């Protein structure tokens, strides 16, 4: 044991040394004709549009950002799991419920893997799903408004990492736990992990028309770490594949103890079979506590509901539903090619890249050729399911994507490169360095039957010397490569907001026509909306005051309010009466503990102000909306708690 420990540590230190040495490399500087040629390929002339959208997750920023490709220009940061002062998300009354969880209000998360909804195996540009890794949640972003419209918490999960990937018709978005935990959670010794902790794989159904999410079932698996996953497609539609590590079920010094087994597993889950079982009344209802938060576009408001039970399935109760495919050395990425035949397991500590064959897997299952079992789940023979392996392609493989032309592209973290290889012959055809230490890569549509194999984006973990220094913390960064030819060509470095963890991309034409321009005022069903200046008012109810206010270029109505008292709780409900594209107004109030509001045409948003001091306090528009934007302002007179200043409001005349 000691010897093993030593040799693993020695191996890890070699890897670490390799990681650090590549940091001193600098790319050959592009000059003259070559640079000009490359610049042309990413140049999008002023006023022109990019060819692709890229939705790049922000990692520890908890958000999802929208970029154009090939320019790398940033268009929008969509707030998802973290409060955002720019858009008031998670600060205004309407969106606060979006961040509710069983742990209370959690205004941050670690957002990892966006995936675009699919129809018949092709991306359809309706929604993006993304996982919150830290406090397990799955969010849905509507691509007509580019706003987060639903978040569902995942019970019995921890480190929601093998998520949020969709099946071929978006029947399910799938979330797998990275950390196994006691299920249900309870107080128990950590040393009793082995055999007692469990890992949940959650299948969330997506209602086809509106995308409403609901947990259909949770598969309760052995206590491994479920790292990444992808759906089957085409011939393997109906299956889902999950990489595992820590099949050792260790719970301490994991870098050594979870690296002991020569092979871990890819779990192959026949979800169609389990769905049928569940539809026929199978499974066990378990008490649970998790939040389901839904944003309603017509009320412009979110509601949070606590759900109290979840349907669990023991894999042993559904024979033929789950198999283990031995896969070398702590596989990370689990990627399925566009035909659905090949399942690539990226073994982080393996010299070779392992590719499994779906057809061979089915054969082995049919012939019941098992190598044993793990907790009753059959293990197939490695040789029986192996399609082939890419020999020594690089060091530290993480993720693979596909161009739809028979090529695969794998990132290597340690040797810091993207390697292009051929499916079926397993030969390496090209390699390009990344600056530095690449994690994920993304080809638009790369996780579907129909990739758009023109560009690949490499998302790097380390930036070092690539940009002007900005103190100890430097920008996060991604790189764009042209993959239309036989050899890849590095085109562009571009900075990102937060860690560019992973991304999903789509042709602009798929999304652009669906993008909303404004919200119809007539459709506004917000309970505190004022749909015209005639409807504006101020209403007192004890110590609570509701202000029904409107905005239009360039004034608030009302713009003067008196009769507010210290100790009041004042709700400003602001409706933007504008009905033109791109005319938001903002509002901010001195001393308010929430952020400004950014209100789109036809929308109503609310902030709360609790005045602490007597005086006359101004508020103003925060969005430069017109030539008279600076005139868009108002006052609130705050009197002592026991004063009898009458409640009055006005626009265009003095309060007498
Ligand atoms: S998984 S690169 Cu979320 Cu690889 Cu991290
Ligand atoms: Cu409204 Cu500035």
């Amino acid at each position: 044991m000691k010897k093993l420990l030593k040799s693993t540590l020695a191996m890890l230190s070699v890897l670490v040394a390799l990681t650090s040495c590549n940091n001193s490399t600098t790319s050959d500087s592009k000059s003259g004709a070559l640079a000009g040629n490359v610049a042309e390929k990413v140049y999008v002339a002023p006023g022109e549009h990019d060819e692709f959208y890229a939705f790049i997750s922000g990692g520890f920023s908890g958000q999802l950002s929208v970029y154009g490709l090939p320019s790398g220009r940033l268009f929008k940061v969509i707030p998802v799991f973290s409060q955002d002062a720019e858009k008031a998300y998670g600060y205004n009354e309407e969106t606060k419920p979006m961040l509710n969880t069983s742990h209370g209000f959690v205004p941050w998360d670690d957002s990892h893997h966006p995936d675009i909804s699919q129809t018949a195996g092709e991306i359809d540009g309706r929604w993006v799903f993304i996982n919150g890794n830290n406090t397990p949640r799955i969010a849905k972003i509507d691509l007509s408004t580019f706003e987060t419209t639903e978040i569902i918490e995942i019970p019995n999960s921890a480190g929601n990492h093998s998520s949020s990937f969709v099946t071929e018709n978006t029947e399910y978005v799938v979330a797998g736990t990275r950390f196994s935990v006691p299920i249900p959670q309870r107080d128990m010794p950590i040393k009793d992990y082995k055999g007692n902790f469990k890992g949940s794989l959650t299948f969330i159904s997506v209602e086809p028309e509106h995308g409403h999410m609901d947990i259909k079932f949770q598969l309760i698996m052995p206590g491994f770490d479920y790292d990444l996953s992808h759906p089957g497609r085409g011939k393997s539609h109906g299956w889902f594949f999950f990489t595992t590590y820590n099949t050792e079920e260790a719970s301490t010094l994991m870098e050594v103890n979870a690296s002991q087994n020569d092979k871990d597993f890819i779990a192959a889950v026949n979800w169609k079979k389990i769905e049928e079982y569940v539809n026929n009344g199978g499974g066990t209802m378990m008490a649970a506590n998790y939040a389901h938060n839904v944003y309603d576009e017509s009320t412009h408001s979110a509601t949070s509901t606590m759900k109290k039970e979840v349907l669990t399935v023991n894999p042993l109760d559904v024979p033929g539903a789950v198999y283990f495919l031995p896969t070398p050395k702590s596989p990370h990425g689990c990627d399925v090619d566009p035909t659905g035949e090949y399942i690539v397991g990226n073994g982080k500590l393996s010299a070779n890249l392992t590719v499994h064959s779906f057809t061979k897997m089915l054969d082995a299952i049919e012939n019941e050729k098992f190598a044993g079992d793990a907790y009753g789940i059959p293990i197939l023979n490695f040789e029986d399911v192996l399609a082939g392996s890419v020999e020594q392609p690089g060091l530290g493989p993480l993720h693979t994507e596909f161009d739809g032309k028979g090529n695969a592209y794998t990132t290597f973290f340690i040797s810091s490169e993207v390697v292009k290889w051929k499916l079926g012959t397993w030969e390496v055809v090209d390699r390009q360095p990344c600056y530095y230490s690449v994690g994920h890569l993304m080809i638009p549509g790369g996780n579907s039957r129909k990739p758009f194999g023109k560009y690949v984006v490499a998302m790097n973990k380390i930036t070092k010397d690539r940009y002007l220094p900005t103190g100890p913390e430097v920008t996060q960064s991604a790189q764009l490569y042209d993959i239309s030819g036989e050899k890849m060509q590095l085109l562009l470095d571009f900075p990102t907001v937060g860690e560019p963890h992973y991304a999903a991309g789509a042709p602009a034409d798929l999304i652009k026509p669906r993008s909303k321009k404004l919200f119809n005022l007539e459709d506004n069903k917000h309970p505190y909306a004022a749909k015209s200046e005639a409807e504006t008012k101020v209403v007192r109810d004890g110590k609570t005051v509701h202000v029904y206010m409107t905005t239009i270029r360039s004034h608030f109505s009302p713009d003067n309010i008196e009769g507010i008292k210290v100790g009041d709780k004042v709700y400003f409900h602001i409706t933007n009466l504008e009905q033109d594209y791109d005319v938001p107004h903002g509002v901010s109030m001195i001393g308010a503990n929430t952020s400004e509001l950014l209100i789109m045409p036809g929308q109503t948003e609310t902030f709360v102000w609790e005045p602490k001091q007597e005086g006359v306090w101004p508020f103003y528009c925060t969005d430069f909306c017109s030539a008279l934007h600076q005139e868009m302002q108002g006052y609130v007179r705050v009197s002592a708690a026991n004063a009898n200043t009458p409640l009055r409001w006005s626009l265009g005349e003095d309060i007498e």
Side-chain angles (χ1 to χ4, degrees):
M1 172 66 194
K2 220 177 183 169
K3 210 170 146 198
L4 237 174
L5 209 142
K6 254 185 159 167
S7 64
T8 313
L9 280 175
M11 181 168 132
L12 286 170
S13 55
V14 170
L15 298 187
V16 168
L18 277 164
T19 317
S20 38
C21 72
N22 71 43
N23 296 331
S24 56
T25 337
T26 352
S27 66
D28 48 326
S29 56
K30 298 272 178 291
S31 60
L34 181 60
N37 171 279
V38 167
E40 248 170 49
K41 289 190 175 182
V42 297
Y43 182 67
V44 178
E48 304 270 288
H49 287 174
D50 279 277
E51 189 180 348
F52 291 95
Y53 280 97
F55 300 92
I56 304 186
S57 67
F60 43 74
S61 85
Q63 315 293 45
L64 179 71
S65 299
V66 188
Y67 300 80
L69 298 180
S71 72
R73 297 179 297 184
L74 171 67
F75 302 146
K76 182 174 184 175
V77 176
I78 303 171
V80 184
F81 297 114
S82 299
Q83 282 179 308
D84 183 309
E86 182 193 355
K87 313 223 188 330
Y89 179 86
Y91 288 99
N92 64 26
E93 295 306 295
E94 286 78 6
T95 54
K96 273 187 200 165
M98 292 300 283
L99 301 178
N100 188 40
T101 74
S102 64
H103 305 271
F105 182 73
V106 179
W108 171 84
D109 216 307
D110 184 14
S111 65
H112 274 214
H113 310 129
D115 203 18
I116 298 172
S117 54
Q118 298 191 10
T119 302
E122 296 180 15
I123 51 169
D124 61 22
R126 301 205 290 162
W127 306 296
V128 181
F129 298 91
I130 188 165
N131 56 320
N133 204 41
N134 181 55
T135 302
R137 288 175 276 182
I138 299 289
K140 184 183 75 198
I141 291 120
D142 188 320
L143 288 182
S144 67
T145 56
F146 287 63
E147 281 178 7
T148 306
T149 53
E150 195 171 356
I151 295 182
I152 192 162
E153 190 181 0
I154 314 295
N156 299 325
S157 176
N160 171 34
H161 194 258
S162 35
S163 324
S164 48
F165 303 104
V166 301
T167 55
E168 200 163 82
N169 294 298
T170 322
E171 294 97 336
Y172 294 100
V173 50
V174 175
T177 197
R178 177 166 146 220
F179 307 117
S180 281
V181 288
I183 296 180
Q185 271 291 7
R186 58 191 177 277
D187 177 8
M188 66 176 280
I190 299 168
K191 71 169 174 50
D192 296 342
Y193 178 121
K194 194 166 186 161
N196 292 312
F197 283 28
K198 298 280 177 231
S200 64
L201 305 177
T202 306
F203 286 71
I204 301 152
S205 60
V206 180
E207 185 271 315
E209 202 184 335
H210 300 101
H212 194 81
M213 298 192 286
D214 197 11
I215 296 180
K216 177 90 170 178
F217 61 87
Q218 284 195 314
L219 194 59
I220 306 299
M221 297 282 287
F224 310 150
D225 287 42
Y226 295 84
D227 205 12
L228 277 150
S229 68
H230 265 105
R233 54 180 64 100
K235 62 169 85 169
S236 53
H237 178 58
W239 290 77
F240 222 98
F241 304 94
F242 297 83
T243 42
T244 70
Y245 66 99
N246 192 27
T247 51
E248 296 85 351
E249 294 181 78
S251 56
T252 184
L253 194 60
M254 303 291 283
E255 59 175 329
V256 175
N257 294 330
S259 305
Q260 297 301 314
N261 290 347
D262 184 46
K263 295 192 176 64
D264 296 281
F265 301 126
I266 284 179
V269 175
N270 186 333
W271 59 260
K272 278 240 163 116
K273 202 161 228 170
I274 302 172
E275 180 186 62
E276 196 184 297
Y277 168 77
V278 162
N279 285 346
N280 289 323
T284 310
M285 218 35 117
M286 184 187 277
N289 190 33
Y290 59 101
H292 184 200
N293 311 328
V294 180
Y295 184 84
D296 179 340
E297 203 181 290
S298 65
T299 58
H300 302 283
S301 303
T303 44
S304 178
T305 314
M306 293 309 294
K307 299 212 138 190
K308 295 298 178 191
E309 50 183 19
V310 67
L311 185 65
T312 59
V313 173
N314 177 345
L316 301 188
D317 292 340
V318 196
V322 186
Y323 298 92
F324 286 133
L325 284 56
T327 306
K329 304 247 60 131
S330 304
H332 183 60
C334 184
D335 300 295
V336 179
D337 87 305
T339 69
E341 168 63 8
Y342 298 122
I343 304 125
V344 185
N346 305 261
K348 297 191 294 286
L349 303 175
S350 165
N352 302 330
L353 208 57
T354 305
V355 186
H356 297 303
S357 156
F358 178 71
T359 312
K360 285 185 160 184
M361 181 192 92
L362 285 189
D363 279 353
I365 292 170
E366 192 158 327
N367 297 316
E368 298 186 7
K369 291 175 72 181
F370 302 131
D373 72 278
Y375 294 102
I377 296 171
I379 303 172
L380 300 167
N381 285 296
F382 177 65
E383 292 75 21
D384 289 344
V385 294
L386 185 71
S389 50
V390 188
E391 303 289 329
Q392 309 212 316
L395 289 173
L398 289 184
H399 297 281
T400 300
E401 296 235 336
F402 309 89
D403 64 4
K405 296 175 246 172
N407 302 300
Y409 300 74
T410 301
T411 54
F412 291 84
F413 176 78
I414 297 165
S415 51
S416 189
E417 56 190 337
V418 177
V419 174
K420 175 181 179 181
W421 51 277
K422 272 199 166 19
L423 289 159
T425 69
W426 325 118
E427 62 190 310
V428 169
V429 276
D430 190 26
R431 59 177 68 241
Q432 283 294 324
C434 298
Y435 304 97
Y436 304 96
S437 296
V438 59
H440 278 270
L441 76 176
M442 182 277 282
I443 293 171
N447 283 319
S448 72
R449 279 204 212 188
K450 188 180 160 197
F452 301 85
K454 186 168 180 186
Y455 301 110
V456 66
V457 177
M459 285 152 273
N460 302 324
K461 302 299 186 195
I462 298 172
T463 307
K464 295 280 187 195
D465 53 8
R466 299 296 285 183
Y467 300 91
L468 287 174
T470 49
E473 189 200 340
V474 292
T475 184
Q476 303 275 328
S477 174
Q479 295 185 292
L480 182 77
Y481 298 81
D482 180 343
I483 55 166
S484 57
E486 182 70 6
K487 299 285 177 194
M488 296 178 270
Q489 185 184 26
L490 175 60
L491 300 179
L492 183 71
D493 281 23
F494 61 100
T496 60
V497 179
E499 180 209 6
H501 193 96
Y502 183 44
D509 294 343
L510 194 64
I511 292 174
K512 211 157 86 170
R514 309 167 35 83
S515 191
K516 252 206 167 102
K517 293 208 153 45
L518 47 83
F519 300 103
N520 283 328
L521 198 54
E522 298 132 56
D523 300 338
N524 183 329
K525 297 198 172 61
H526 192 294
Y528 291 96
K531 296 201 211 177
S532 68
E533 290 186 359
E535 291 178 21
T536 60
K537 58 187 173 183
V538 182
V539 180
R540 175 179 286 283
D541 175 15
K543 284 187 161 306
T544 300
V545 178
H546 290 282
V547 179
Y548 297 67
M549 190 179 267
T550 60
T551 60
I552 197 153
R553 280 161 291 181
S554 300
H555 59 266
F556 293 97
S557 177
D559 64 358
N560 284 328
I561 300 171
E562 295 191 355
I564 303 298
K565 296 173 195 170
V566 170
D568 282 347
K569 196 167 188 179
V570 186
Y571 290 84
F572 285 85
H573 308 284
I574 322 272
T575 303
N576 184 356
L577 299 178
E578 306 279 357
Q579 290 287 270
D580 282 341
Y581 186 32
D582 195 22
V583 191
H585 293 280
V587 61
S588 67
M589 182 75 215
I590 190 168
N593 293 342
T594 55
S595 80
E596 57 84 56
L597 297 181
L598 182 62
I599 312 142
M600 294 300 132
Q603 202 174 29
T604 305
E605 291 192 353
T606 304
F607 75 95
V608 182
W609 182 50
E610 294 175 84
K612 311 269 186 323
Q613 300 170 33
E614 290 167 39
V616 180
W617 304 105
F619 58 93
Y620 66 93
C621 174
T622 48
D623 191 90
F624 206 106
C625 51
S626 66
L628 296 172
H629 156 77
Q630 282 300 79
E631 281 72 12
M632 199 164 167
Q633 62 186 57
Y635 288 103
V636 178
R637 175 179 168 190
V638 177
S639 305
N642 58 1
N644 47 21
T645 317
L647 190 63
R648 285 180 298 191
W649 60 94
S650 71
L651 168 72
E653 55 193 27
D654 289 337
I655 296 176
E656 294 303 331

